[in-house]
């Protein structure tokens, strides 16, 4: 079953009293219109005819009683406010629930592989959700990959109880987070663990494209007219944000929306793109994906860790070669704010995280 994997995508729909529901194909068409700005190009991208696209837009405009797209001769096609809200709602649902769906799909794939004649090695990875990590199922075609998304601390705990072969966690460069380092050090073992370099990424403030509130730094988060969207408490990004506001002498109580949280970088970006917040903290690729502005704050190293003896396992050795490959590195280059020059390099734990 190499190359054949279960994929589970969350879905949602409007339903009226007559039982009519939105066609999921509508969201693909709206996304294509938002990208291409032309109905002809959007229809081709969505793999439907121009006539079908036109009829679909008219059908659902009647359903809602308002147009979803504005068509102007010589100016192409643009989404109306309703069309934009529908698209952002779809993207927010996907951003919020994809990690959980990916975890379940990975479990099901592994169970199916058990009953098939398949000699490819199994590699169990636990890591926090991220754009580069999400590339792994596609590039690890020669492995049975059991990729489970969890917080960095959960991943390291799983490694120590042999629930995974490799755990992923991340550390900011130039920003010391004493509480996080202490918790990492309780779970990491310098004599038996080895670091596998993965990627570096840019963390910063995601803002509306035209920056109407004139946001420029972490210090601006305390302004009363700025609405913030946060990450969940156990994420590494939340730990970094908390340290940054502490360094600025800002109280969390003075940040409007500090207690509102999302569970992925893309979910934070979707929240802002939908107009529900003015600013969030996360990686540059999320801002790029949702057409937001981005203010870089610091870079961050995302690494994997495994037991030294695991480096001799066929699955781990093959994985290291994969993340060293041109295939993987070319994919990383397409992610805004991501770099992979050191990907696959093995280091002692003491080099990466001196005590």
């Amino acid at each position: 079953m190499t190359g054949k994997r279960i994929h589970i995508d969350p879905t949602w729909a409007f339903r009226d009293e007559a039982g009519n529901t939105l066609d999921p194909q509508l969201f693909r068409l709206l996304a294509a219109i938002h990208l291409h700005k032309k109905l002809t190009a959007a229809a081709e991208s969505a793999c439907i005819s121009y006539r079908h696209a036109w009829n679909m837009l008219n059908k659902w405009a009647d359903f809602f009683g308002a147009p979803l797209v504005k068509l102007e001769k010589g100016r192409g096609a643009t989404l109306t406010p309703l069309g934009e809200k529908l698209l952002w709602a779809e993207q927010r649902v996907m951003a919020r629930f994809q990690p959980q769906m990916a975890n379940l799909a990975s479990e099901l794939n592994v169970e199916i592989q058990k009953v098939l004649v398949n000699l490819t090695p199994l590699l169990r990875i636990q890591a926090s959700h991220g754009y580069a990590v999400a590339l792994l199922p596609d590039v690890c075609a020669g492995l049975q990959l059991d990729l489970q998304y969890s917080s960095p601390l959960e991943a390291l705990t799983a490694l120590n109880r042999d629930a995974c072969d490799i755990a992923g966690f991340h550390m900011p460069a130039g920003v010391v987070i004493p509480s996080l380092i202490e918790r990492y050090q309780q779970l990491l073992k310098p004599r038996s663990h080895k670091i596998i370099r993965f990627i570096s990424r840019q963390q910063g403030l995601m803002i509306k494209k035209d920056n109407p509130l004139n946001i420029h730094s972490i210090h601006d988060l305390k302004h009363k007219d700025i609405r913030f969207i946060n990450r969940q408490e156990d994420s590494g990004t939340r730990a970094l944000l908390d340290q940054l506001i502490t360094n600025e002498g800002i109280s969390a109580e003075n940040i409007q929306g500090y207690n509102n949280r999302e569970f992925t970088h893309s979910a934070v970006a979707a929240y802002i793109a939908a107009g529900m917040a003015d600013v969030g903290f996360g990686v540059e690729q999320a801002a790029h994906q949702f057409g937001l502005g981005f203010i870089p704050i610091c870079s961050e190293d995302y690494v994997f860790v495994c037991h030294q003896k695991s480096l001799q396992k066929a699955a781990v050795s093959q994985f290291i070669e994969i993340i060293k490959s041109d295939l993987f590195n070319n994919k990383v280059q397409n992610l805004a704010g991501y770099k992979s020059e050191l990907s696959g390099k093995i280091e002692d734990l003491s080099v990466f995280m001196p005590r």
Side-chain angles (χ1 to χ4, degrees):
M1 206 173 78
T2 302
K4 300 180 179 68
R5 302 193 310 272
I6 293 172
H7 293 268
I8 305 174
D9 291 323
T11 187
W12 62 277
F14 274 101
R15 181 176 290 110
D16 64 13
E17 61 278 1
N20 298 309
T21 59
L22 282 183
D23 183 347
Q25 195 173 51
L26 174 65
F27 297 117
R28 293 194 293 273
L29 179 59
L30 293 178
I33 291 171
H34 179 71
L35 176 64
H36 297 290
K37 311 300 183 188
K38 290 184 178 181
L39 185 55
T40 50
E44 183 178 354
S45 177
C47 299
I48 59 177
S49 69
Y50 179 88
R51 182 177 180 179
H52 183 50
W54 177 262
N55 290 337
M56 187 186 302
L57 293 176
N58 286 330
K59 175 182 177 180
W60 296 113
D62 291 340
F63 177 87
F64 285 105
L68 279 63
V69 174
K70 183 179 181 181
L71 298 172
E72 296 181 277
K73 189 174 182 178
R75 301 185 64 180
T78 56
L79 298 183
T80 64
L82 174 60
E84 288 183 347
K85 286 296 184 183
L86 287 174
L87 179 58
W88 296 140
E90 167 74 358
Q91 291 176 328
R92 189 179 175 210
V93 168
M94 294 293 288
R96 170 74 74 86
F97 294 108
Q98 266 187 331
Q100 293 95 318
M101 298 298 99
N103 282 354
L104 178 58
S106 184
E107 291 175 10
L108 295 176
N109 282 317
V110 170
E111 290 302 315
I112 291 172
Q113 291 283 358
K114 288 179 180 178
V115 299
L116 297 173
V117 178
N118 195 319
L119 301 179
T120 56
L122 171 66
L123 181 66
R124 302 168 300 160
I125 298 179
Q126 286 207 24
S128 59
H129 187 266
Y131 288 93
V133 178
L135 297 174
L136 294 178
D138 288 331
V139 298
C140 292
L143 290 171
Q144 292 185 63
L145 185 65
D146 182 9
L147 173 59
Q148 296 291 316
Y149 291 121
S150 60
S151 73
L153 293 173
E154 289 172 337
L156 292 174
T157 299
L159 180 68
N160 284 330
R161 56 184 172 84
D162 198 30
C164 66
D165 303 302
I166 294 175
F169 70 102
H170 38 94
M171 289 279 291
V175 179
V176 178
I177 311 176
S179 60
L180 187 62
I181 291 175
E182 181 181 357
R183 284 181 287 173
Y184 282 167
Q185 288 176 339
Q186 291 171 353
L187 296 167
L188 292 167
K189 304 171 182 177
R191 292 186 178 181
S192 58
H193 284 155
K194 288 288 188 178
I195 292 293
I196 305 171
R197 287 280 185 172
F198 188 47
I199 53 92
S200 64
R201 62 188 187 183
Q202 195 68 45
Q203 291 263 32
L205 297 175
M206 293 182 274
I207 57 174
K208 294 179 180 178
K209 192 69 175 179
D210 55 354
N211 197 9
L213 296 179
N214 203 29
I215 298 169
H216 296 290
S217 69
I218 293 291
H219 195 72
D220 293 325
L221 298 182
K222 68 178 185 179
H223 294 167
K224 293 182 179 179
D225 58 344
I226 292 177
R227 299 168 301 160
F228 184 70
I229 175 65
N230 210 347
R231 286 290 304 278
Q232 78 275 21
E233 290 82 353
D234 63 348
S235 71
T237 297
R238 172 65 172 268
L240 174 56
L241 184 278
D242 284 347
Q243 188 63 51
L244 290 170
I245 65 173
T246 296
N247 293 350
E248 289 285 339
I250 300 173
S251 170
E253 297 177 353
N254 293 330
I255 299 177
Q256 183 187 172
Y258 176 86
N259 292 321
N260 297 333
R261 63 193 189 279
E262 282 288 359
F263 291 82
T264 65
H265 295 282
S266 54
V268 169
Y271 200 94
I272 299 165
M276 300 170 68
D278 304 304
V279 59
F281 189 78
V283 298
E284 185 175 354
Q285 174 60 22
H288 176 77
Q289 178 185 355
F290 287 88
L292 301 175
F294 183 78
I295 301 169
I297 300 296
C298 70
S299 63
E300 183 177 60
D301 293 315
Y302 196 126
V303 301
F304 291 114
V305 61
C306 70
H307 288 284
Q308 183 170 344
K309 60 184 180 181
S310 295
L311 292 174
Q312 307 305 316
K313 292 182 178 179
V316 175
S317 178
Q318 189 173 341
F319 173 75
I320 291 170
E321 292 305 310
I322 288 170
I323 63 174
K324 284 181 177 180
S325 70
D326 290 340
L327 172 64
F328 175 72
N329 283 275
N330 289 338
K331 287 180 177 292
V332 173
Q333 287 178 16
N334 292 324
L335 300 176
Y338 276 68
K339 295 180 180 179
S340 58
E341 290 94 340
L342 299 177
S343 187
K345 181 181 179 182
I346 310 299
E347 290 183 349
D348 289 336
L349 185 62
S350 58
V351 174
F352 178 73
M353 187 189 300
R355 285 184 176 265

